[in-house]
Amino acid sequence: MYNSKTNVKAIILAAGKGTRMKSDMPKVLHEIFSKPLIARVVETIENIYPDNDTKSIVVVGHGADVVKDYLKKYKNVSCVLQKEQLGTGHAVFVAAEELKDFCGTVLIACGDTPLLKSATLKKMLEYHIDKNADVTVMSAVLDNPFGYGRVVRAQDSSIEGIVEQKDANEEQKAIKEINAGVYCLNWQSVKSAFLELKNNNSQGEYYLTDIVEWAKSNNKKAFAYTIDNINETLGINSRAQLAEAARIMKEEKLGELMDEGVTIVDPITTSISPETKIGRDTIIYPNTYINGTNKIGSHCKIGPFSHLRGDVEVGDYSKVGNFVELKNAKIGSHTNLSHLTYAGDATIGSNVNIGAGTIFANYNSITKEKKRSTLKDGVSIGSNCVIVAPVELEENVFAGAGSVITKNVQKDSLVLTRSAQKEYPNWVIKQKNLLNKKGEE
Ligand code: UD1
Ligand code: CA
């Protein structure tokens, strides 16, 4: 069914070099919580209308091959190559090839703004349609607008143009309303602009921002959609901004979790990825790092000093203690992994107790293969065991401390691989006597 609000295609600008990152890798592949910046933008756009297959065209240039290769996994994303980076307006011109006959809204965003939210873009798209606008620019008011394009408004507060920092006069530099770099365009109405943009500015570039002036002089309607959460506009140009974005992302996540009834004992030393879900009354102790996609139940205790590396599920009332590392592990409820354990590629049932220092040996460094092990409900593993994958321990198996388990174990068994304990009475005294005799010789 045709719906003007959801009839959207996106262009994501990602051809720039990112010089200030000082990196061998294209800027948009730098990661926050193990997800590249470009992936965060692509997914934000996909999630505006989760039931529609919103198509995105990514403009690639610097490091085009690696970026294209990374984006292969997104079925709604195609890439176009901007061979020379002649400016943001030129980047859209290159993408326009793919959009010739498209009737609807083109949403333009940058590949380096990982904090943008789907809900914000949705509201902006609705604003754009409701206003029957030809051009809508996202803006924000910043205390320190340095570096951004400034939004120039007319007396009646309609927008007249955007002036880049490098082209602005003193009066314009004092404007605190900035261009966030996100645009909605009524495509059929403005597409011809990209044939007409000029590069007579201080950088000799074709500016996408000139679309506003173009709209004005062609009797088109241009508006600014001003957002309150200025964090969302943060573009990553340097490692410091990358760290800043990660900090904001984690603080937002911790705030949400606390609102939902999760205790975060020490927000300063706790990092939790946005892709992690946690049930209420779970307590996260200090120095815990939770990365990737995870689902933790209610009434759990995690940390201090736990490291969850992704694809981890923990059932209700379970405990993951200090110096426990989990990766690709599914853990039932009322299960304890209290200290010094590594569980990777593991399925662990409910009411399981894992003793201190237990290791799931899941990786063969010669074949580079990873294998999975399974511990069924009620299993108890003594301290310092090694579970060598792939093995399966059936219900209620009891493994003695220090065992190296390499074969499956049947239900209700005790399993032990340690050698029998031997005792040599008075051995110490004999040794001392020998030593004394030597001394006398
Ligand atoms: C741009 C805006 C500025 C705005 C700011 C918001 C212009 C002229 N200026 O400035 O008004 O305040 O974003 O962050 O648009 N890119 C290409 N091809 C190019 C040039 C750039 O794909 O030829 C991409 C870059 O990779 C980047 C994005 O476009 O993702 C923005 O380019 P950048 O050079 O960072 O523009 P800013 O100077 O930040
Ligand atoms: Ca930028």
Side-chain angles (χ1 to χ4, degrees), residues 21 25 27-41 70 111-116 234-236 238-251 271-275 289-292:
M21 294 300 282
M25 192 166 65
K27 175 168 81 173
V28 293
L29 291 185
H30 282 263
E31 298 178 340
I32 301 181
F33 283 113
S34 298
K35 201 182 263 255
L37 304 178
I38 186 78
R40 294 199 171 275
V41 177
Y70 175 78
D112 63 354
T113 50
L115 298 176
L116 264 182
L234 182 64
I236 310 301
S238 65
R239 306 268 180 169
Q241 283 170 326
L242 186 68
E244 170 78 354
R247 181 187 63 76
I248 294 168
M249 199 175 279
K250 115 177 186 167
E251 279 177 6
S271 269
I272 300 179
S273 67
E275 292 77 26
Y289 184 57
I290 302 181
N291 198 5

mmCIF file of all heavy atoms in Angstrom, residues 21 25 27-41 70 111-116 234-236 238-251 271-275 289-292:
data_model
loop_
_atom_site.group_PDB
_atom_site.id
_atom_site.type_symbol
_atom_site.label_atom_id
_atom_site.label_comp_id
_atom_site.label_asym_id
_atom_site.label_seq_id
_atom_site.Cartn_x
_atom_site.Cartn_y
_atom_site.Cartn_z
ATOM 1 N N MET A 21 41.413 10.697 11.824
ATOM 2 C CA MET A 21 41.452 9.434 12.580
ATOM 3 C C MET A 21 42.876 8.879 12.622
ATOM 4 O O MET A 21 43.215 8.061 13.457
ATOM 5 C CB MET A 21 40.536 8.383 11.944
ATOM 6 C CG MET A 21 39.061 8.693 11.991
ATOM 7 S SD MET A 21 38.426 8.885 13.661
ATOM 8 C CE MET A 21 38.287 7.193 14.202
ATOM 9 N N MET A 25 42.488 2.319 8.357
ATOM 10 C CA MET A 25 41.163 1.789 8.064
ATOM 11 C C MET A 25 40.232 2.952 7.709
ATOM 12 O O MET A 25 40.354 4.024 8.294
ATOM 13 C CB MET A 25 40.665 1.106 9.338
ATOM 14 C CG MET A 25 39.457 0.252 9.176
ATOM 15 S SD MET A 25 39.250 -0.789 10.627
ATOM 16 C CE MET A 25 38.941 0.418 11.900
ATOM 17 N N LYS A 27 37.331 5.515 7.899
ATOM 18 C CA LYS A 27 36.737 6.023 9.145
ATOM 19 C C LYS A 27 35.462 5.291 9.536
ATOM 20 O O LYS A 27 35.268 4.936 10.700
ATOM 21 C CB LYS A 27 36.444 7.521 8.993
ATOM 22 C CG LYS A 27 35.711 8.102 10.177
ATOM 23 C CD LYS A 27 35.695 9.602 10.158
ATOM 24 C CE LYS A 27 34.639 10.156 9.244
ATOM 25 N NZ LYS A 27 34.525 11.625 9.365
ATOM 26 N N VAL A 28 34.579 5.068 8.554
ATOM 27 C CA VAL A 28 33.259 4.519 8.897
ATOM 28 C C VAL A 28 33.316 3.062 9.354
ATOM 29 O O VAL A 28 32.317 2.517 9.809
ATOM 30 C CB VAL A 28 32.248 4.662 7.737
ATOM 31 C CG1 VAL A 28 31.931 6.120 7.501
ATOM 32 C CG2 VAL A 28 32.738 3.968 6.470
ATOM 33 N N LEU A 29 34.497 2.431 9.249
ATOM 34 C CA LEU A 29 34.603 1.061 9.767
ATOM 35 C C LEU A 29 35.130 1.018 11.201
ATOM 36 O O LEU A 29 35.219 -0.045 11.813
ATOM 37 C CB LEU A 29 35.481 0.192 8.856
ATOM 38 C CG LEU A 29 34.867 -0.134 7.481
ATOM 39 C CD1 LEU A 29 35.774 -1.097 6.710
ATOM 40 C CD2 LEU A 29 33.470 -0.724 7.603
ATOM 41 N N HIS A 30 35.480 2.170 11.738
ATOM 42 C CA HIS A 30 35.841 2.192 13.165
ATOM 43 C C HIS A 30 34.606 1.838 13.982
ATOM 44 O O HIS A 30 33.484 2.126 13.571
ATOM 45 C CB HIS A 30 36.393 3.566 13.557
ATOM 46 C CG HIS A 30 37.816 3.720 13.113
ATOM 47 N ND1 HIS A 30 38.873 3.497 13.954
ATOM 48 C CD2 HIS A 30 38.338 4.000 11.902
ATOM 49 C CE1 HIS A 30 40.004 3.660 13.280
ATOM 50 N NE2 HIS A 30 39.704 3.959 12.025
ATOM 51 N N GLU A 31 34.838 1.193 15.113
ATOM 52 C CA GLU A 31 33.719 0.579 15.832
ATOM 53 C C GLU A 31 33.405 1.239 17.167
ATOM 54 O O GLU A 31 34.283 1.774 17.829
ATOM 55 C CB GLU A 31 34.063 -0.893 16.126
ATOM 56 C CG GLU A 31 34.275 -1.710 14.876
ATOM 57 C CD GLU A 31 34.666 -3.149 15.186
ATOM 58 O OE1 GLU A 31 35.127 -3.418 16.322
ATOM 59 O OE2 GLU A 31 34.505 -3.995 14.286
ATOM 60 N N ILE A 32 32.129 1.147 17.544
ATOM 61 C CA ILE A 32 31.715 1.422 18.923
ATOM 62 C C ILE A 32 30.978 0.173 19.384
ATOM 63 O O ILE A 32 30.057 -0.290 18.696
ATOM 64 C CB ILE A 32 30.795 2.645 19.014
ATOM 65 C CG1 ILE A 32 31.529 3.872 18.449
ATOM 66 C CG2 ILE A 32 30.369 2.898 20.463
ATOM 67 C CD1 ILE A 32 30.719 5.144 18.507
ATOM 68 N N PHE A 33 31.372 -0.369 20.502
ATOM 69 C CA PHE A 33 30.838 -1.657 20.957
ATOM 70 C C PHE A 33 30.849 -2.669 19.807
ATOM 71 O O PHE A 33 29.838 -3.292 19.492
ATOM 72 C CB PHE A 33 29.431 -1.496 21.539
ATOM 73 C CG PHE A 33 29.426 -0.924 22.932
ATOM 74 C CD1 PHE A 33 28.902 0.334 23.183
ATOM 75 C CD2 PHE A 33 29.960 -1.628 24.004
ATOM 76 C CE1 PHE A 33 28.905 0.869 24.465
ATOM 77 C CE2 PHE A 33 29.971 -1.109 25.286
ATOM 78 C CZ PHE A 33 29.439 0.139 25.518
ATOM 79 N N SER A 34 32.010 -2.805 19.193
ATOM 80 C CA SER A 34 32.249 -3.817 18.151
ATOM 81 C C SER A 34 31.346 -3.708 16.934
ATOM 82 O O SER A 34 31.193 -4.678 16.198
ATOM 83 C CB SER A 34 32.146 -5.231 18.724
ATOM 84 O OG SER A 34 33.121 -5.415 19.706
ATOM 85 N N LYS A 35 30.737 -2.572 16.719
ATOM 86 C CA LYS A 35 29.918 -2.398 15.528
ATOM 87 C C LYS A 35 30.407 -1.149 14.793
ATOM 88 O O LYS A 35 30.459 -0.065 15.387
ATOM 89 C CB LYS A 35 28.455 -2.243 15.945
ATOM 90 C CG LYS A 35 27.478 -2.559 14.843
ATOM 91 C CD LYS A 35 26.074 -2.330 15.339
ATOM 92 C CE LYS A 35 25.428 -3.613 15.811
ATOM 93 N NZ LYS A 35 24.452 -4.124 14.898
ATOM 94 N N PRO A 36 30.774 -1.292 13.504
ATOM 95 C CA PRO A 36 31.283 -0.133 12.767
ATOM 96 C C PRO A 36 30.269 1.012 12.719
ATOM 97 O O PRO A 36 29.058 0.784 12.727
ATOM 98 C CB PRO A 36 31.514 -0.691 11.359
ATOM 99 C CG PRO A 36 31.692 -2.148 11.531
ATOM 100 C CD PRO A 36 30.832 -2.533 12.708
ATOM 101 N N LEU A 37 30.805 2.226 12.654
ATOM 102 C CA LEU A 37 29.955 3.423 12.599
ATOM 103 C C LEU A 37 28.926 3.286 11.478
ATOM 104 O O LEU A 37 27.744 3.569 11.672
ATOM 105 C CB LEU A 37 30.824 4.663 12.351
ATOM 106 C CG LEU A 37 31.958 4.910 13.350
ATOM 107 C CD1 LEU A 37 32.768 6.140 12.941
ATOM 108 C CD2 LEU A 37 31.378 5.095 14.754
ATOM 109 N N ILE A 38 29.376 2.836 10.306
ATOM 110 C CA ILE A 38 28.462 2.756 9.159
ATOM 111 C C ILE A 38 27.330 1.756 9.445
ATOM 112 O O ILE A 38 26.184 1.984 9.057
ATOM 113 C CB ILE A 38 29.235 2.397 7.855
ATOM 114 C CG1 ILE A 38 28.326 2.450 6.624
ATOM 115 C CG2 ILE A 38 29.892 1.031 7.905
ATOM 116 C CD1 ILE A 38 28.031 3.817 6.117
ATOM 117 N N ALA A 39 27.648 0.676 10.164
ATOM 118 C CA ALA A 39 26.616 -0.322 10.486
ATOM 119 C C ALA A 39 25.566 0.300 11.387
ATOM 120 O O ALA A 39 24.365 0.048 11.259
ATOM 121 C CB ALA A 39 27.247 -1.526 11.169
ATOM 122 N N ARG A 40 26.011 1.135 12.298
ATOM 123 C CA ARG A 40 25.056 1.770 13.222
ATOM 124 C C ARG A 40 24.115 2.692 12.440
ATOM 125 O O ARG A 40 22.916 2.720 12.697
ATOM 126 C CB ARG A 40 25.793 2.513 14.339
ATOM 127 C CG ARG A 40 26.562 1.527 15.244
ATOM 128 C CD ARG A 40 26.937 2.082 16.595
ATOM 129 N NE ARG A 40 27.465 0.996 17.433
ATOM 130 C CZ ARG A 40 26.719 0.179 18.157
ATOM 131 N NH1 ARG A 40 25.410 0.321 18.202
ATOM 132 N NH2 ARG A 40 27.272 -0.798 18.845
ATOM 133 N N VAL A 41 24.663 3.435 11.474
ATOM 134 C CA VAL A 41 23.807 4.332 10.688
ATOM 135 C C VAL A 41 22.860 3.511 9.806
ATOM 136 O O VAL A 41 21.658 3.786 9.746
ATOM 137 C CB VAL A 41 24.663 5.308 9.844
ATOM 138 C CG1 VAL A 41 23.777 6.194 8.981
ATOM 139 C CG2 VAL A 41 25.548 6.167 10.747
ATOM 140 N N TYR A 70 32.229 -5.050 3.637
ATOM 141 C CA TYR A 70 31.573 -5.130 4.936
ATOM 142 C C TYR A 70 30.050 -5.034 4.792
ATOM 143 O O TYR A 70 29.300 -5.725 5.485
ATOM 144 C CB TYR A 70 32.082 -4.023 5.887
ATOM 145 C CG TYR A 70 31.310 -4.060 7.178
ATOM 146 C CD1 TYR A 70 31.600 -5.027 8.143
ATOM 147 C CD2 TYR A 70 30.221 -3.227 7.381
ATOM 148 C CE1 TYR A 70 30.834 -5.136 9.282
ATOM 149 C CE2 TYR A 70 29.450 -3.328 8.521
ATOM 150 C CZ TYR A 70 29.766 -4.286 9.473
ATOM 151 O OH TYR A 70 28.998 -4.403 10.592
ATOM 152 N N GLY A 111 27.722 8.765 7.204
ATOM 153 C CA GLY A 111 28.124 7.458 7.743
ATOM 154 C C GLY A 111 28.865 7.549 9.061
ATOM 155 O O GLY A 111 29.190 6.523 9.665
ATOM 156 N N ASP A 112 29.122 8.769 9.529
ATOM 157 C CA ASP A 112 29.948 8.902 10.733
ATOM 158 C C ASP A 112 29.172 9.485 11.914
ATOM 159 O O ASP A 112 29.754 10.056 12.822
ATOM 160 C CB ASP A 112 31.188 9.762 10.428
ATOM 161 C CG ASP A 112 30.838 11.191 10.029
ATOM 162 O OD1 ASP A 112 29.638 11.504 9.865
ATOM 163 O OD2 ASP A 112 31.767 12.013 9.891
ATOM 164 N N THR A 113 27.831 9.363 11.891
ATOM 165 C CA THR A 113 27.023 9.882 13.010
ATOM 166 C C THR A 113 26.288 8.724 13.692
ATOM 167 O O THR A 113 25.100 8.498 13.446
ATOM 168 C CB THR A 113 25.999 10.922 12.509
ATOM 169 O OG1 THR A 113 25.297 10.348 11.393
ATOM 170 C CG2 THR A 113 26.674 12.201 12.069
ATOM 171 N N PRO A 114 26.999 7.983 14.544
ATOM 172 C CA PRO A 114 26.456 6.733 15.093
ATOM 173 C C PRO A 114 25.384 6.937 16.168
ATOM 174 O O PRO A 114 24.742 5.970 16.564
ATOM 175 C CB PRO A 114 27.693 6.076 15.711
ATOM 176 C CG PRO A 114 28.575 7.228 16.083
ATOM 177 C CD PRO A 114 28.366 8.248 15.002
ATOM 178 N N LEU A 115 25.186 8.178 16.622
ATOM 179 C CA LEU A 115 24.247 8.363 17.732
ATOM 180 C C LEU A 115 22.847 8.776 17.286
ATOM 181 O O LEU A 115 21.937 8.914 18.107
ATOM 182 C CB LEU A 115 24.801 9.393 18.728
ATOM 183 C CG LEU A 115 26.128 8.989 19.398
ATOM 184 C CD1 LEU A 115 26.640 10.117 20.278
ATOM 185 C CD2 LEU A 115 25.982 7.721 20.215
ATOM 186 N N LEU A 116 22.676 8.931 15.974
ATOM 187 C CA LEU A 116 21.337 9.249 15.459
ATOM 188 C C LEU A 116 20.363 8.151 15.836
ATOM 189 O O LEU A 116 20.715 6.974 15.831
ATOM 190 C CB LEU A 116 21.390 9.311 13.938
ATOM 191 C CG LEU A 116 21.562 10.647 13.258
ATOM 192 C CD1 LEU A 116 21.539 10.404 11.752
ATOM 193 C CD2 LEU A 116 20.477 11.625 13.646
ATOM 194 N N LEU A 234 26.400 14.273 16.904
ATOM 195 C CA LEU A 234 27.859 14.113 16.991
ATOM 196 C C LEU A 234 28.410 13.300 15.818
ATOM 197 O O LEU A 234 28.065 12.137 15.625
ATOM 198 C CB LEU A 234 28.236 13.437 18.321
ATOM 199 C CG LEU A 234 29.731 13.237 18.569
ATOM 200 C CD1 LEU A 234 30.452 14.584 18.662
ATOM 201 C CD2 LEU A 234 29.983 12.429 19.829
ATOM 202 N N GLY A 235 29.258 13.939 15.039
ATOM 203 C CA GLY A 235 29.935 13.258 13.934
ATOM 204 C C GLY A 235 31.334 12.879 14.384
ATOM 205 O O GLY A 235 31.988 13.639 15.100
ATOM 206 N N ILE A 236 31.785 11.706 13.969
ATOM 207 C CA ILE A 236 33.096 11.230 14.403
ATOM 208 C C ILE A 236 34.153 11.634 13.386
ATOM 209 O O ILE A 236 34.156 11.160 12.246
ATOM 210 C CB ILE A 236 33.104 9.684 14.546
ATOM 211 C CG1 ILE A 236 31.924 9.189 15.376
ATOM 212 C CG2 ILE A 236 34.443 9.208 15.107
ATOM 213 C CD1 ILE A 236 31.850 9.737 16.770
ATOM 214 N N SER A 238 37.534 12.195 14.842
ATOM 215 C CA SER A 238 38.806 11.921 15.520
ATOM 216 C C SER A 238 38.605 10.792 16.528
ATOM 217 O O SER A 238 37.475 10.429 16.856
ATOM 218 C CB SER A 238 39.269 13.176 16.265
ATOM 219 O OG SER A 238 38.332 13.474 17.300
ATOM 220 N N ARG A 239 39.718 10.273 17.026
ATOM 221 C CA ARG A 239 39.644 9.206 18.040
ATOM 222 C C ARG A 239 38.987 9.730 19.322
ATOM 223 O O ARG A 239 38.305 8.996 20.022
ATOM 224 C CB ARG A 239 41.044 8.691 18.373
ATOM 225 C CG ARG A 239 41.834 8.258 17.164
ATOM 226 C CD ARG A 239 41.669 6.801 16.867
ATOM 227 N NE ARG A 239 42.458 6.472 15.686
ATOM 228 C CZ ARG A 239 42.710 5.253 15.267
ATOM 229 N NH1 ARG A 239 42.240 4.204 15.921
ATOM 230 N NH2 ARG A 239 43.413 5.041 14.180
ATOM 231 N N ALA A 240 39.223 11.005 19.611
ATOM 232 C CA ALA A 240 38.617 11.567 20.820
ATOM 233 C C ALA A 240 37.098 11.579 20.685
ATOM 234 O O ALA A 240 36.370 11.262 21.632
ATOM 235 C CB ALA A 240 39.153 12.977 21.074
ATOM 236 N N GLN A 241 36.610 11.918 19.484
ATOM 237 C CA GLN A 241 35.154 11.925 19.275
ATOM 238 C C GLN A 241 34.597 10.503 19.269
ATOM 239 O O GLN A 241 33.455 10.274 19.670
ATOM 240 C CB GLN A 241 34.804 12.657 17.973
ATOM 241 C CG GLN A 241 34.897 14.170 18.136
ATOM 242 C CD GLN A 241 34.791 14.902 16.827
ATOM 243 O OE1 GLN A 241 35.243 14.415 15.788
ATOM 244 N NE2 GLN A 241 34.211 16.088 16.851
ATOM 245 N N LEU A 242 35.419 9.547 18.832
ATOM 246 C CA LEU A 242 34.990 8.146 18.863
ATOM 247 C C LEU A 242 34.768 7.712 20.316
ATOM 248 O O LEU A 242 33.765 7.077 20.656
ATOM 249 C CB LEU A 242 36.062 7.264 18.199
ATOM 250 C CG LEU A 242 35.734 5.795 18.001
ATOM 251 C CD1 LEU A 242 34.627 5.619 16.965
ATOM 252 C CD2 LEU A 242 36.976 5.017 17.556
ATOM 253 N N ALA A 243 35.705 8.100 21.181
ATOM 254 C CA ALA A 243 35.588 7.757 22.601
ATOM 255 C C ALA A 243 34.400 8.482 23.236
ATOM 256 O O ALA A 243 33.665 7.914 24.048
ATOM 257 C CB ALA A 243 36.881 8.115 23.334
ATOM 258 N N GLU A 244 34.202 9.714 22.832
ATOM 259 C CA GLU A 244 33.084 10.508 23.339
ATOM 260 C C GLU A 244 31.744 9.852 22.965
ATOM 261 O O GLU A 244 30.840 9.724 23.794
ATOM 262 C CB GLU A 244 33.196 11.925 22.741
ATOM 263 C CG GLU A 244 32.010 12.844 22.954
ATOM 264 C CD GLU A 244 31.955 13.433 24.339
ATOM 265 O OE1 GLU A 244 32.773 13.046 25.179
ATOM 266 O OE2 GLU A 244 31.074 14.281 24.578
ATOM 267 N N ALA A 245 31.651 9.407 21.716
ATOM 268 C CA ALA A 245 30.409 8.771 21.259
ATOM 269 C C ALA A 245 30.167 7.468 22.024
ATOM 270 O O ALA A 245 29.029 7.156 22.401
ATOM 271 C CB ALA A 245 30.465 8.498 19.759
ATOM 272 N N ALA A 246 31.242 6.724 22.272
ATOM 273 C CA ALA A 246 31.105 5.460 23.019
ATOM 274 C C ALA A 246 30.628 5.753 24.444
ATOM 275 O O ALA A 246 29.775 5.051 24.987
ATOM 276 C CB ALA A 246 32.431 4.709 23.043
ATOM 277 N N ARG A 247 31.165 6.821 25.016
ATOM 278 C CA ARG A 247 30.769 7.185 26.378
ATOM 279 C C ARG A 247 29.280 7.551 26.416
ATOM 280 O O ARG A 247 28.530 7.083 27.276
ATOM 281 C CB ARG A 247 31.615 8.364 26.877
ATOM 282 C CG ARG A 247 31.294 8.806 28.299
ATOM 283 C CD ARG A 247 32.030 10.078 28.706
ATOM 284 N NE ARG A 247 31.658 11.241 27.914
ATOM 285 C CZ ARG A 247 30.522 11.929 28.056
ATOM 286 N NH1 ARG A 247 29.656 11.573 28.986
ATOM 287 N NH2 ARG A 247 30.254 12.962 27.272
ATOM 288 N N ILE A 248 28.859 8.358 25.456
ATOM 289 C CA ILE A 248 27.452 8.769 25.431
ATOM 290 C C ILE A 248 26.553 7.553 25.235
ATOM 291 O O ILE A 248 25.531 7.392 25.899
ATOM 292 C CB ILE A 248 27.217 9.817 24.321
ATOM 293 C CG1 ILE A 248 27.959 11.116 24.656
ATOM 294 C CG2 ILE A 248 25.726 10.080 24.129
ATOM 295 C CD1 ILE A 248 28.022 12.111 23.508
ATOM 296 N N MET A 249 26.961 6.676 24.322
ATOM 297 C CA MET A 249 26.147 5.494 24.020
ATOM 298 C C MET A 249 25.981 4.622 25.263
ATOM 299 O O MET A 249 24.904 4.141 25.581
ATOM 300 C CB MET A 249 26.814 4.699 22.897
ATOM 301 C CG MET A 249 25.891 3.739 22.208
ATOM 302 S SD MET A 249 26.691 2.941 20.806
ATOM 303 C CE MET A 249 26.519 4.187 19.551
ATOM 304 N N LYS A 250 27.069 4.455 25.987
ATOM 305 C CA LYS A 250 27.012 3.610 27.186
ATOM 306 C C LYS A 250 26.203 4.288 28.289
ATOM 307 O O LYS A 250 25.408 3.639 28.966
ATOM 308 C CB LYS A 250 28.426 3.249 27.636
ATOM 309 C CG LYS A 250 28.806 3.815 28.952
ATOM 310 C CD LYS A 250 30.117 3.472 29.509
ATOM 311 C CE LYS A 250 30.096 4.092 30.890
ATOM 312 N NZ LYS A 250 31.112 3.684 31.786
ATOM 313 N N GLU A 251 26.366 5.596 28.428
ATOM 314 C CA GLU A 251 25.602 6.297 29.469
ATOM 315 C C GLU A 251 24.109 6.236 29.187
ATOM 316 O O GLU A 251 23.304 6.039 30.097
ATOM 317 C CB GLU A 251 26.071 7.747 29.599
ATOM 318 C CG GLU A 251 27.329 7.835 30.442
ATOM 319 C CD GLU A 251 27.892 9.241 30.557
ATOM 320 O OE1 GLU A 251 27.244 10.196 30.077
ATOM 321 O OE2 GLU A 251 28.991 9.372 31.121
ATOM 322 N N SER A 271 30.432 -0.876 31.396
ATOM 323 C CA SER A 271 30.106 -0.621 29.991
ATOM 324 C C SER A 271 29.168 -1.705 29.503
ATOM 325 O O SER A 271 29.470 -2.892 29.639
ATOM 326 C CB SER A 271 31.368 -0.664 29.134
ATOM 327 O OG SER A 271 31.939 0.596 29.036
ATOM 328 N N ILE A 272 28.051 -1.296 28.930
ATOM 329 C CA ILE A 272 27.088 -2.277 28.413
ATOM 330 C C ILE A 272 26.641 -1.834 27.030
ATOM 331 O O ILE A 272 26.232 -0.687 26.831
ATOM 332 C CB ILE A 272 25.883 -2.426 29.365
ATOM 333 C CG1 ILE A 272 26.366 -2.885 30.750
ATOM 334 C CG2 ILE A 272 24.864 -3.410 28.793
ATOM 335 C CD1 ILE A 272 25.272 -3.059 31.790
ATOM 336 N N SER A 273 26.734 -2.736 26.070
ATOM 337 C CA SER A 273 26.395 -2.395 24.682
ATOM 338 C C SER A 273 24.903 -2.132 24.546
ATOM 339 O O SER A 273 24.093 -2.715 25.268
ATOM 340 C CB SER A 273 26.789 -3.542 23.760
ATOM 341 O OG SER A 273 25.979 -4.668 24.042
ATOM 342 N N PRO A 274 24.524 -1.301 23.570
ATOM 343 C CA PRO A 274 23.096 -1.049 23.343
ATOM 344 C C PRO A 274 22.349 -2.325 22.960
ATOM 345 O O PRO A 274 21.140 -2.395 23.133
ATOM 346 C CB PRO A 274 23.077 -0.065 22.167
ATOM 347 C CG PRO A 274 24.454 0.386 21.955
ATOM 348 C CD PRO A 274 25.382 -0.536 22.654
ATOM 349 N N GLU A 275 23.052 -3.320 22.451
ATOM 350 C CA GLU A 275 22.395 -4.543 21.976
ATOM 351 C C GLU A 275 22.194 -5.571 23.096
ATOM 352 O O GLU A 275 21.914 -6.739 22.831
ATOM 353 C CB GLU A 275 23.216 -5.177 20.851
ATOM 354 C CG GLU A 275 23.262 -4.366 19.557
ATOM 355 C CD GLU A 275 24.191 -3.172 19.585
ATOM 356 O OE1 GLU A 275 25.159 -3.185 20.365
ATOM 357 O OE2 GLU A 275 23.932 -2.201 18.840
ATOM 358 N N TYR A 289 32.172 -5.436 31.757
ATOM 359 C CA TYR A 289 32.174 -5.015 30.360
ATOM 360 C C TYR A 289 31.331 -5.996 29.560
ATOM 361 O O TYR A 289 31.664 -7.177 29.461
ATOM 362 C CB TYR A 289 33.616 -4.986 29.847
ATOM 363 C CG TYR A 289 33.736 -4.474 28.430
ATOM 364 C CD1 TYR A 289 33.251 -3.219 28.088
ATOM 365 C CD2 TYR A 289 34.342 -5.238 27.438
ATOM 366 C CE1 TYR A 289 33.368 -2.740 26.793
ATOM 367 C CE2 TYR A 289 34.459 -4.766 26.138
ATOM 368 C CZ TYR A 289 33.966 -3.515 25.823
ATOM 369 O OH TYR A 289 34.075 -3.043 24.543
ATOM 370 N N ILE A 290 30.224 -5.511 29.038
ATOM 371 C CA ILE A 290 29.293 -6.376 28.305
ATOM 372 C C ILE A 290 29.182 -5.859 26.877
ATOM 373 O O ILE A 290 28.683 -4.761 26.635
ATOM 374 C CB ILE A 290 27.909 -6.405 28.996
ATOM 375 C CG1 ILE A 290 28.069 -6.894 30.442
ATOM 376 C CG2 ILE A 290 26.944 -7.293 28.217
ATOM 377 C CD1 ILE A 290 26.765 -6.984 31.227
ATOM 378 N N ASN A 291 29.680 -6.640 25.940
ATOM 379 C CA ASN A 291 29.786 -6.200 24.551
ATOM 380 C C ASN A 291 28.944 -7.103 23.655
ATOM 381 O O ASN A 291 28.654 -8.246 24.013
ATOM 382 C CB ASN A 291 31.262 -6.290 24.154
ATOM 383 C CG ASN A 291 31.574 -5.465 22.920
ATOM 384 O OD1 ASN A 291 30.725 -4.737 22.395
ATOM 385 N ND2 ASN A 291 32.790 -5.578 22.438
ATOM 386 N N GLY A 292 28.549 -6.602 22.499
ATOM 387 C CA GLY A 292 27.805 -7.426 21.540
ATOM 388 C C GLY A 292 26.351 -7.604 21.942
ATOM 389 O O GLY A 292 25.810 -6.850 22.747
#
